[in-house]
Amino acid sequence: MGRTADAIAEGVAIATAAARLVVKNHILVGTIAEGGVFDTDEYIADAREALRAMAEESEQAEKMLTELRKRARGRHSDSSGTHDYRDRDVRNLKRRAKQSHGVATRLRETMENPEALRVIVEEAREGAWADVRHNLDRRLRVEGMRPDQDPDYERMREARMQALRLVDLQALSSQQRARRKLKKKQKAAEQEA
């Protein structure tokens, strides 16, 4: 029973981490990309949905393993591949189905526990903030670095100059042309009016 309980606990931990990652990504998209406001209740619904999807996945695995176990029972020949189970695999398939069932059950219990959902959302919020903080810190270090502090300055200088010529100056030129074209249209419209 210890192995089954450990496997269930591990499966729940993995599923919870995956749910936290889903919620973290929703927080980043919702608050940064879409300019929204952090609302715990909105993200609790996201956490519940992520856990539901993983519980359904575990339930499907349980059904598949049960079906494989039924087919394997009474077959004593050599298997022809990795998923060609035989009678000697029945006990293992039964244990794996039981583990999948346990994971699904625990995930469904967590879905109904508001406090557990809040913990997932709070940990996801902390993870999202850590990502933002890390990106800002890295960006400030790179953009605020002086040439004498950058050990790769000389080596990367030519690449930066080429990027400046091919990307930045081309974009600037394109913007200037668009502005001139817009001003010309506005001037023509004013003269017609």
Side-chain angles (χ1 to χ4, degrees):
M1 186 62 190
R3 283 177 39 187
T4 298
D6 290 346
I8 290 170
E10 185 176 327
V12 170
I14 291 168
T16 303
R20 199 169 29 253
L21 183 61
V22 166
V23 174
K24 180 183 88 165
N25 289 338
H26 285 191
I27 290 170
L28 289 169
V29 169
T31 58
I32 295 173
E34 295 174 357
V37 176
F38 178 80
D39 178 7
T40 301
D41 292 334
E42 176 186 333
Y43 297 111
I44 282 178
D46 289 340
R48 184 178 287 116
E49 176 58 27
L51 290 172
R52 184 197 58 73
M54 286 177 240
E56 287 177 359
E57 189 177 307
S58 288
E59 289 163 350
Q60 288 299 318
E62 177 190 7
K63 287 177 186 174
M64 180 191 69
L65 290 163
T66 300
E67 195 57 41
L68 289 171
R69 187 181 83 234
K70 288 177 184 176
R71 277 192 258 148
R73 182 163 278 131
R75 295 177 74 192
H76 297 285
S77 61
D78 289 336
S79 64
S80 63
T82 307
H83 299 290
D84 185 23
Y85 297 104
R86 298 295 185 241
D87 195 72
R88 64 182 167 272
D89 300 312
V90 167
R91 206 168 90 205
N92 186 38
L93 290 168
K94 184 176 182 178
R95 183 175 65 245
R96 287 173 51 198
K98 186 176 181 180
Q99 292 165 351
S100 291
H101 177 78
V103 169
T105 300
R106 294 261 306 272
L107 292 176
R108 293 221 180 259
E109 289 169 0
T110 304
M111 286 170 51
E112 301 306 319
N113 182 339
E115 187 54 39
L117 293 171
R118 284 192 185 285
V119 167
I120 291 171
V121 170
E122 180 56 27
E123 289 172 349
R125 186 194 63 76
E126 288 172 6
W129 174 239
D131 283 1
V132 169
R133 187 175 51 241
H134 173 74
N135 285 335
L136 284 172
D137 184 53
R138 189 189 60 191
R139 192 157 188 191
L140 288 172
R141 285 181 198 270
V142 170
E143 291 185 10
M145 189 177 291
R146 294 189 330 251
D148 60 327
Q149 294 174 326
D150 185 358
D152 294 329
Y153 180 79
E154 285 302 322
R155 186 172 63 82
M156 297 301 293
R157 185 176 189 284
E158 184 56 38
R160 286 192 304 275
M161 294 306 292
Q162 187 174 9
L164 176 70
R165 284 189 302 274
L166 297 176
V167 178
D168 297 333
L169 292 178
Q170 294 295 325
L172 183 60
S173 176
S174 178
Q175 288 173 353
Q176 292 298 324
R177 280 193 303 273
R179 282 189 187 131
R180 283 193 300 269
K181 195 174 191 179
L182 180 63
K183 282 183 181 181
K184 192 175 183 179
K185 283 183 181 180
Q186 288 173 342
K187 199 174 217 181
E190 288 174 4
Q191 288 176 349
E192 289 179 12

